[in-house]
Amino acid sequence: MELRFFSRLAVVALAMPALTAAATADGTRPLGVIELFTSQGCSSCPPADALFEKFATKGDYVALAYHVDYWDYLGWRDTLSSPDSTDRQYAYMRSFGTRSVYTPQAVINGRIHVNGAKRDDILDAFDELNKAEQGLSVDVSVKLTGESLVIETGSAASQSSAKAHVVLVYFDAPQAIAVPRGENKGRTVTYVNAVSDIQSAGMWHGKAARYELPATKIATKGGFAVLLQAVGKDGMPGPVLGAAIYRKSDGNRI
């Protein structure tokens, strides 16, 4: 579903420095970041949710599902929705220079948005960014050590001009939800990596860095992702330079 007019494809035109590639602690780097904006009250969203689950469980993408709340008036309040998720989508809208938000929307590496139900569009977006050398270019690793969460990042080639926010995105464990009312009445949909909280963990200034945070919050979550994300002068989200994910259920991190 869409609100008013939207542009199907947009690129965030933020000038970013060339970045180095240093090995992470476990030697891996995700293929990219998919941020899906979805809703239990959106009749167009179940196919996107099913496709998203495939990307999320494949293991080589950082996939995060943000449940927005602006479709709740259609007869069913999304049990996973939050104003923060809606705010993040509107922030992307302003970054992309588009006139509205829509669901299902997939934001790729913080740079391009496409229809989240179209697998080919998502893969084409990654191909486009990789050809333009706008894939993930900074290594990020996460690990739990005792009572601490440790985040380590790589460095940028031009340390004087590179900077980004270290963003923690917590998500719930997979859950099947029956929708008794609204546009998806009678459906039961499995939701994975549904975002429950977003917070800033610090600033990255282009150099290899280490961040240590209390791990107490993780006990109540299904996992979390770390996004190394550039931010415009107006505070709007920009390109994702690096990312990692930790799923509590299997301890998998990429």
Side-chain angles (χ1 to χ4, degrees):
M1 284 190 285
E2 60 184 275
L3 298 180
R4 303 182 304 278
F5 168 84
F6 70 88
S7 172
R8 188 188 73 83
L9 192 64
V11 179
V12 179
L14 295 182
M16 294 304 301
L19 300 169
T20 62
T24 61
D26 58 6
T28 61
R29 180 186 293 173
L31 298 179
V33 175
I34 302 170
E35 296 180 85
L36 176 69
F37 293 91
T38 185
S39 172
Q40 295 170 13
C42 160
S43 60
S44 304
C45 287
D49 298 321
L51 176 61
F52 173 84
E53 182 179 5
K54 294 179 181 179
F55 279 110
T57 56
K58 187 177 180 181
D60 45 8
Y61 293 92
V62 171
L64 301 165
Y66 299 83
H67 286 245
V68 299
D69 59 7
Y70 50 77
W71 295 126
D72 288 355
Y73 76 93
L74 293 177
W76 173 249
R77 181 185 180 280
D78 189 318
T79 59
L80 301 172
S81 67
S82 75
D84 288 343
S85 291
T86 301
D87 288 347
R88 184 164 177 82
Q89 188 181 27
Y90 271 93
Y92 271 128
M93 179 194 75
R94 291 188 287 273
S95 290
F96 295 147
T98 54
R99 295 171 53 189
S100 68
V101 294
Y102 64 98
T103 55
Q105 180 189 40
V107 175
I108 309 301
N109 290 357
R111 297 176 182 266
I112 290 178
H113 71 93
V114 298
N115 187 320
K118 295 185 177 181
R119 179 179 180 274
D120 288 346
D121 285 4
I122 292 174
L123 295 178
D124 286 347
F126 280 119
D127 287 343
E128 178 181 335
L129 292 177
N130 289 334
K131 289 176 182 177
E133 298 184 350
Q134 292 180 332
L136 302 185
S137 52
V138 179
D139 290 298
V140 179
S141 68
V142 296
K143 63 181 178 180
L144 296 177
T145 304
E147 298 179 350
S148 297
L149 163 63
V150 177
I151 302 167
E152 294 183 328
T153 68
S155 61
S158 176
Q159 295 178 356
S160 61
S161 57
K163 63 179 180 179
H165 287 193
V166 181
V167 181
L168 263 66
V169 184
Y170 296 92
F171 54 81
D172 294 332
Q175 52 193 302
I177 294 178
V179 182
R181 297 186 300 278
E183 295 201 348
N184 289 317
K185 180 180 179 180
R187 287 178 178 264
T188 297
V189 182
T190 298
Y191 295 102
V192 300
N193 295 7
V195 171
S196 58
D197 194 16
I198 310 168
Q199 70 178 65
S200 177
M203 289 289 296
W204 176 77
H205 296 282
K207 298 180 180 180
R210 182 179 187 273
Y211 307 84
E212 185 171 355
L213 302 167
T216 52
K217 191 170 185 176
I218 299 170
T220 62
K221 305 296 181 180
F224 65 92
V226 178
L227 305 180
L228 195 64
Q229 185 163 33
V231 176
K233 293 181 179 179
D234 54 1
M236 295 300 101
V240 177
L241 310 178
I245 192 167
Y246 179 91
R247 291 177 292 274
K248 189 172 66 176
S249 61
D250 57 9
N252 183 32
R253 50 180 77 92
I254 62 174

